[in-house]
């Protein structure tokens, strides 16, 4: 079977479904394909932090500003796809007070609400905190439930006319006269797609996808572990106020907390070692902030792979050890137009953060719309996502798009049986 589409989006994580939604809402004929269920790559295996921007305030002003802007948009449009928990950065006795002060100054400079409280008040607000907490900074962090967010975006794209195909892996591409002519899609779809334009939104797999069109995209994926621990009642997100390092964040869910995370370079985003030391490090480091974690067991453990774009990173660190300055690689996003490499109708969007998925998608859609001569502007910052006022409806969408992933499986109710009955 052959199918024609104006834009083919490859990859059903946050940026991919966001791009499909944005373009479809502008009246563009869009098809989205993913090799598995939606969100099955990085989005659904993240720690799910809704960034306030405070994490980047002292070192990445642009990233901090983007995060707080998108944080506020998601609070307006995403409903029960996010949790409004608030967040707190804690300075322990061994942490550098100058770093705390620099972060605070950055927050105030970039419009991120930040309230400083002493250690005693911090423990009154969050009794689980260590006696070693000397002061804390309260910021508007939150929690993203990626499965719900991705599914709601996919439904919005479909409502605007997009085709959304899950379990539809791209198996090959043909290039003719400087353009991608056909894309072979297997799995349940099993069809040849003839696109006018192709967006590669495959995240850590962007290099493999681009190679099918003869294009080089240099990714440096890094793995990170997340550990779910049964624990009810933690209020805000806990962040260690120090240079980003292993085990510096605790994310609250309803009946669990998620501890994160490591950053270790991997050669293959599909095959890497899941190492016990990473799990042990999460307990050790996070317990420095929250001693009640000591002696607890992991209820669930999962790894995600960051889609870091690093064309100039060759030679960083030791390839044998897998350890280098991976945390120093930009978490910003990059939109790569492959016309420069001789493929005129092809672009890749890489890097970025789940919090800024919508902004990344809008920028990608703007680029594609300009090439296609589409005048309509993005409406995704104002239009609320479907189903977000009803958790049960959201979880039904998660089942519809096979989007239930590890990051929030303790929150999302499995409604796959109901979805199968509807089919």
């Amino acid at each position: 079977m052959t199918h024609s589409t104006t834009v083919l989006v490859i990859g059903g994580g946050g940026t991919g479904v966001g791009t499909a939604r944005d373009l479809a809402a502008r009246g563009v004929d869009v098809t989205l394909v993913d090799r598995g269920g939606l969100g099955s790559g990085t989005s659904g295996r993240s720690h799910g932090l809704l960034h306030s921007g405070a994490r980047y305030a002292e070192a990445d002003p642009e990233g901090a500003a983007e995060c707080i802007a998108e944080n506020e948009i998601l609070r307006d449009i995403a409903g029960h796809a996010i949790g409004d928990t608030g967040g707190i950065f804690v300075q322990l006795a061994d942490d550098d007070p100058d770093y705390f002060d620099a972060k605070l100054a950055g927050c105030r400079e970039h419009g991120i609400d930040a309230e400083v409280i002493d250690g005693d008040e911090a423990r009154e607000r969050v009794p689980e905190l260590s006696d070693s907490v000397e002061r804390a900074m309260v910021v508007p962090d939150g929690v993203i439930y990626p499965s719900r967010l991705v599914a709601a975006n996919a439904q919005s794209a479909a409502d605007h006319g997009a085709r959304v195909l899950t379990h539809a892996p791209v198996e090959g591409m043909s290039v003719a006269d400087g353009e991608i002519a056909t894309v072979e899609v297997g799995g349940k779809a099993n069809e040849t797609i003839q696109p006018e334009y192709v967006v590669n939104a495959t995240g850590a797999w962007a290099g493999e996808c681009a190679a099918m069109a003869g294009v080089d995209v240099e990714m440096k994926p890094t793995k990170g572990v997340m550990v779910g621990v049964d624990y009810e009642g933690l209020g805000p997100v806990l962040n260690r106020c120090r240079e980003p390092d292993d085990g510096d964040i605790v994310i609250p869910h309803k009946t669990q907390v998620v501890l994160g995370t490591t950053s270790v370079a991997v050669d293959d985003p599909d095959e890497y070692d899941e190492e016990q030391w990473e799990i042990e490090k999460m307990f050790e480091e996070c317990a420095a902030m929250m001693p009640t974690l000591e002696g607890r067991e992991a209820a669930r453990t999962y790894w995600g792979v960051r889609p870091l774009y690093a064309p100039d990173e060759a030679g960083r660190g030791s390839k044998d050890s897998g350890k280098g300055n991976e945390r120093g690689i930009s978490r910003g996003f990059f939109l790569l137009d492959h016309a420069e490499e001789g493929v005129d109708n092809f672009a890749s969007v890489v890097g970025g953060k789940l919090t800024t998925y919508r902004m990344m998608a809008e920028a990608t859609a703007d680029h594609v719309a300009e090439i296609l001569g589409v005048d309509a502007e993005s409406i995704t910052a104002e239009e609320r996502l479907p189903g977000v006022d009803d958790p049960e409806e959201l979880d039904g969408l998660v089942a519809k798009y096979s989007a239930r992933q590890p990051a929030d499986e303790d929150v999302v109710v499995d409604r796959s049986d109901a979805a199968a009955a509807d089919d």
Side-chain angles (χ1 to χ4, degrees):
M1 183 186 303
T2 300
H3 178 81
S4 296
T5 190
T6 302
V7 177
L8 173 65
V9 178
I10 304 172
T15 306
V17 293
T19 300
R21 176 196 180 211
D22 199 308
L23 285 168
R26 303 185 200 211
V28 178
D29 173 41
V30 179
T31 300
L32 179 140
V33 298
D34 192 279
R35 67 177 184 172
L38 297 187
S40 56
T42 301
S43 294
R45 306 185 74 84
S46 66
H47 52 45
L49 174 64
L50 176 63
H51 283 281
S52 63
R55 187 171 178 86
Y56 307 104
E58 80 290 345
D60 180 7
E62 183 177 0
E66 291 170 351
C67 282
I68 189 59
E70 292 302 308
N71 176 305
E72 293 170 354
I73 289 171
L74 286 180
R75 291 175 189 275
D76 289 338
I77 70 170
H80 288 282
I82 66 168
D84 184 11
T85 62
I88 188 169
F89 277 79
V90 297
Q91 177 194 321
L92 304 186
D94 293 337
D95 296 334
D96 181 2
D98 291 340
Y99 183 80
F100 185 104
D101 292 338
K103 187 177 290 292
L104 177 62
C107 286
R108 290 176 172 167
E109 180 179 353
H110 305 302
I112 302 166
D113 288 341
E115 176 192 5
V116 178
I117 56 178
D118 65 24
D120 289 338
E121 184 173 350
R123 281 180 288 274
E124 286 181 13
R125 296 191 187 190
V126 187
E128 297 90 343
L129 289 180
S130 167
D131 290 341
S132 180
V133 173
E134 296 190 341
R135 58 176 171 167
M137 187 187 317
V138 180
V139 297
D141 283 342
V143 180
I144 298 174
Y145 306 127
S147 302
R148 289 176 172 177
L149 185 67
V150 167
N153 273 271
Q155 186 59 48
S156 177
D159 290 345
H160 285 293
R163 295 175 76 220
V164 179
L165 306 178
T166 61
H167 306 286
V170 171
E171 298 179 341
M173 300 180 187
S174 67
V175 178
D177 299 323
E179 293 188 341
I180 295 175
T182 61
V183 177
E184 300 298 328
V185 179
K188 290 183 178 180
N190 192 28
E191 65 182 41
T192 299
I193 296 179
Q194 296 175 324
E196 288 187 34
Y197 202 90
V198 178
V199 174
N200 172 13
T202 57
W205 296 263
E208 288 90 334
C209 180
M212 293 185 189
V215 171
D216 184 24
V217 173
E218 297 181 42
M219 303 298 293
K220 189 177 179 71
T222 68
K223 67 170 179 172
V225 70
M226 267 63 65
V227 181
V229 179
D230 289 335
Y231 195 104
E232 292 190 48
L234 177 64
V237 175
L238 301 185
N239 303 271
R240 181 84 175 265
C241 197
R242 65 181 183 187
E243 292 282 355
D245 204 344
D246 294 346
D248 60 5
I249 189 166
V250 181
I251 304 287
H253 286 188
K254 292 180 180 178
T255 61
Q256 289 188 351
V257 293
V258 176
L259 319 181
T261 178
T262 46
S263 181
V264 181
V266 298
D267 293 326
D268 185 337
D270 285 315
E271 294 186 18
Y272 49 84
D273 293 332
E274 297 180 348
E275 299 175 276
Q276 182 64 27
W277 72 262
E278 297 179 81
I279 299 171
E280 294 170 357
K281 191 75 177 291
M282 294 309 96
F283 281 100
E284 177 186 349
E285 295 293 335
C286 291
M289 294 186 287
M290 187 174 161
T292 48
L293 291 171
E294 292 179 3
R296 304 229 174 194
E297 295 184 358
R300 60 194 180 96
T301 304
Y302 63 95
W303 274 257
V305 180
R306 298 174 188 84
L308 302 184
Y309 176 60
D312 300 317
E313 296 301 323
R316 270 185 184 254
S318 166
K319 184 175 181 181
D320 292 335
S321 70
K323 292 177 182 287
N325 190 22
E326 285 79 27
R327 289 194 183 274
I329 301 173
S330 173
R331 265 54 172 175
F333 86 97
F334 301 84
L335 179 56
L336 312 175
D337 186 334
H338 298 307
E340 296 181 2
E341 289 105 341
V343 185
D344 290 339
N345 65 337
F346 188 34
S348 296
V349 54
V350 294
K353 298 170 280 291
L354 184 57
T355 297
T356 58
Y357 87 93
R358 192 213 61 82
M359 179 200 73
M360 295 162 59
E362 180 178 338
T364 304
D366 283 345
H367 175 75
V368 176
E370 182 178 3
I371 291 171
L372 297 176
V374 174
D375 292 332
E377 296 183 354
S378 177
I379 64 168
T380 60
E382 294 82 30
E383 182 186 69
R384 281 176 62 79
L385 289 163
V388 295
D389 294 326
D390 183 351
E392 185 173 317
E393 183 177 350
L394 268 179
D395 293 347
L397 294 177
V398 170
K400 176 180 179 179
Y401 293 108
S402 302
R404 189 167 185 255
Q405 303 299 344
D408 51 10
E409 68 177 22
D410 61 313
V411 175
V412 174
V413 176
D414 185 359
R415 292 181 50 80
S416 54
D417 291 342
D422 290 341
D423 290 342

